[in-house]
Amino acid sequence: ENSTCLTDVASTGTKSKTTALFPRNSRNFSTLTADTPKDVIRSLDLPEAILIGVQKGGTTALFQYIDKHPDIVKSAKELYFLDEKVDKMMIQNYQYSNGAAGGGIPQFRARQQYSILMRNAKKYPQVDQGKMLLDLTPNYAFYSDRVPARISCLLPWAKLMVLLRNPVDRARSQYDMKVRFVKNAKKKRNEHGLRVPTFRQYVLNDLAALKETGVIQDWSNVDFDTFFNSAAMQEAWRSYINSGMNAPIGMGLYALQLQPFLELPNEFLAIQSEKLMTRTDETYGEVLDFLGLQRISLDWYPKANNAGGGKKKTDVDRETERLLQSVFEPFNRKLADLLGEEWEGVWEA
C-alpha cells in the first residue's frame, strides 16, 4: 500500500530501486495513525516526540537531561531526517522515476527509513527495548516550509517541543560557533584563507538577505500582522530558507517558524531557554510531564554547551544590539500572540 498524505512525500505507484533497503513489512508502517498505541510506535523504532529547535537555544543541555531518564532510549541527537534526509530521498526517487510526475516518497517507505535511522542511533539497543524514542534536531523549526507537513504525514502522534532563547543572544552564540569552526578549520585543515566577518557585518549580511527576499519589510508602510499571515510572506520565507544564509537573524524569527507547527493537531510545548538555565529542575519536570513520564530530579544538571555556556563570547556593540532588537520586536510580539501572554515581553531589555 502506497498511501499519500502530502505532495512531497507521495506515491503514484512508481517503483523505486530502493525497496530492498527496507526489510520490514510495509503494511506495519502504512497503518499508523495519531491514535496508534505507543507500544506499537516503540516496536517500530519511531519517535514519540520531537525537539524541533532552536539551534543555539540550549538543546544539547536539555537533550542530556532527557537522556538520563530511565524510560527514554539513549540515542544520538541531530538526525536531520525530516529536513535533509527526506530532501535527498525525494531527489533520488525523482531520478529513479526519470523525472516523471509523482516521483515522491511512499509514506510507508519514508517511515521505514526513519525507523532504520532511529534504530541505528540507539546506544544500547538491547537494553532500550520498549522505551520512548525522541528525535532532537534543532534545525527542524527553521525549515518550517516543509517539516510540519512531513510530521503531519509521517508522525501524526508525535509530541512537539521547542526551546526558545532571547534571539539577540542566540544570534551572538551562532556567530561564536562560526568563529570556533573557522579557527578549528585553520588548525586542522590548514585552511588559512577562511575569514569571519565582524559580528555586525554577519548580522547586516543576513538582514540584507531578509530584505531582498521580502521577509523583512518597511513596517511603517506595510502592516505587519496582515503581511505576516499572507501568502506573500510564506513565499518570501521559503525563498529566504533556500538562499543558504547562515541566518543569525532568520533563525530567531520564532513566530514565523512556529506558526505552521502550531497549526498541526500535535501536542506542543514551548520552553524558555533562560528558564531552563535558571530554574532547571522545575523546567525539566514540566518537560517530563509533557512527555507523560514520571518526574525525576537529577543530582547534577551539566551545562553541556547550554547556549554556549563556558565559552568565550563575542562582545556586541550597543548599536548592533539595538538594530537586532528592532528587527525582532514585531516577531517577538507575534510570538506572544501565538504562545500566550506568559511570553509577552520575556526578552525586553
Side-chain angles (χ1 to χ4, degrees), residues 164-167 169 254 271-275 332-333 335-336 339-349:
L164 303 176
R165 182 185 182 188
N166 183 324
D169 295 336
Y254 302 141
I271 310 153
Q272 188 180 341
S273 298
E274 292 80 6
K275 183 182 173 185
N332 290 345
R333 179 165 38 84
L335 182 70
L339 297 182
E341 60 183 13
E342 66 270 22
W343 287 86
E344 290 180 4
V346 292
W347 297 306
E348 289 182 0

Side-chain angles (χ1 to χ4, degrees), residues 181-186 189-196:
F181 173 82
V182 170
K183 285 182 178 179
N184 290 336
K186 288 180 177 180
R189 300 196 297 269
N190 199 31
E191 296 180 9
H192 295 292
L194 292 175
R195 294 289 182 271
V196 181

Side-chain angles (χ1 to χ4, degrees), residues 111-336:
R111 283 172 170 164
Q112 284 175 322
Q113 184 65 81
Y114 205 174
S115 170
I116 291 170
L117 189 68
M118 294 298 297
R119 188 165 70 250
N120 291 342
K122 289 183 177 181
K123 296 179 181 178
Y124 310 105
Q126 301 305 317
V127 177
D128 290 333
Q129 292 297 321
K131 295 183 179 181
M132 178 184 287
L133 267 168
L134 279 77
D135 179 357
L136 187 157
T137 303
N139 279 5
Y140 284 164
F142 182 67
Y143 291 102
S144 58
D145 65 328
R146 64 202 72 169
V147 172
R150 293 170 183 178
I151 289 173
S152 177
C153 178
L154 303 177
L155 305 166
W157 60 82
K159 296 182 177 183
L160 308 180
M161 301 182 291
V162 68
L163 194 59
L164 303 176
R165 182 185 182 188
N166 183 324
V168 176
D169 295 336
R170 197 218 64 81
R172 180 181 63 181
S173 187
Q174 181 179 334
Y175 176 77
D176 291 340
M177 180 175 68
K178 183 176 181 64
V179 170
R180 291 192 298 271
F181 173 82
V182 170
K183 285 182 178 179
N184 290 336
K186 288 180 177 180
K187 183 185 299 183
K188 294 180 179 178
R189 300 196 297 269
N190 199 31
E191 296 180 9
H192 295 292
L194 292 175
R195 294 289 182 271
V196 181
T198 63
F199 178 67
R200 181 172 178 78
Q201 191 59 54
Y202 188 59
V203 166
L204 291 175
N205 290 346
D206 194 31
L207 181 58
L210 286 161
K211 289 181 176 180
E212 183 178 347
T213 53
V215 175
I216 299 295
Q217 303 277 333
D218 179 357
W219 304 124
S220 63
N221 294 320
V222 178
D223 181 74
F224 177 84
D225 290 320
T226 301
F227 188 75
F228 182 90
N229 293 308
S230 69
M233 174 62 103
Q234 294 176 19
E235 183 56 37
W237 180 243
R238 187 177 301 109
S239 178
Y240 171 74
I241 291 173
N242 293 327
S243 69
M245 293 297 295
N246 279 150
I249 297 177
M251 283 193 172
L253 303 180
Y254 302 141
L256 195 54
Q257 297 169 50
L258 295 186
Q259 187 177 45
F261 290 95
L262 291 167
E263 291 173 353
L264 299 175
N266 303 61
E267 293 182 57
F268 192 94
L269 176 67
I271 310 153
Q272 188 180 341
S273 298
E274 292 80 6
K275 183 182 173 185
L276 178 67
M277 287 185 276
T278 59
R279 295 152 61 186
T280 308
D281 196 68
E282 173 189 342
T283 308
Y284 179 50
E286 292 171 358
V287 170
L288 296 180
D289 289 345
F290 176 73
L291 294 175
L293 298 173
Q294 182 178 354
R295 281 201 181 202
I296 63 171
S297 292
L298 301 181
D299 295 331
W300 177 55
Y301 290 95
K303 292 305 177 186
N305 290 334
N306 194 353
K311 297 187 176 105
K312 183 179 179 181
K313 298 179 180 179
T314 298
D315 292 327
V316 180
D317 64 89
R318 185 56 185 157
E319 183 180 359
T320 302
E321 184 178 26
R322 284 197 295 265
L323 171 64
L324 285 169
Q325 288 171 342
S326 67
V327 172
F328 288 130
E329 189 278 329
F331 292 93
N332 290 345
R333 179 165 38 84
K334 176 59 70 172
L335 182 70

Side-chain angles (χ1 to χ4, degrees), residues 94-106:
Y94 181 80
Q95 292 170 341
Y96 292 147
S97 62
N98 296 318
I105 310 165

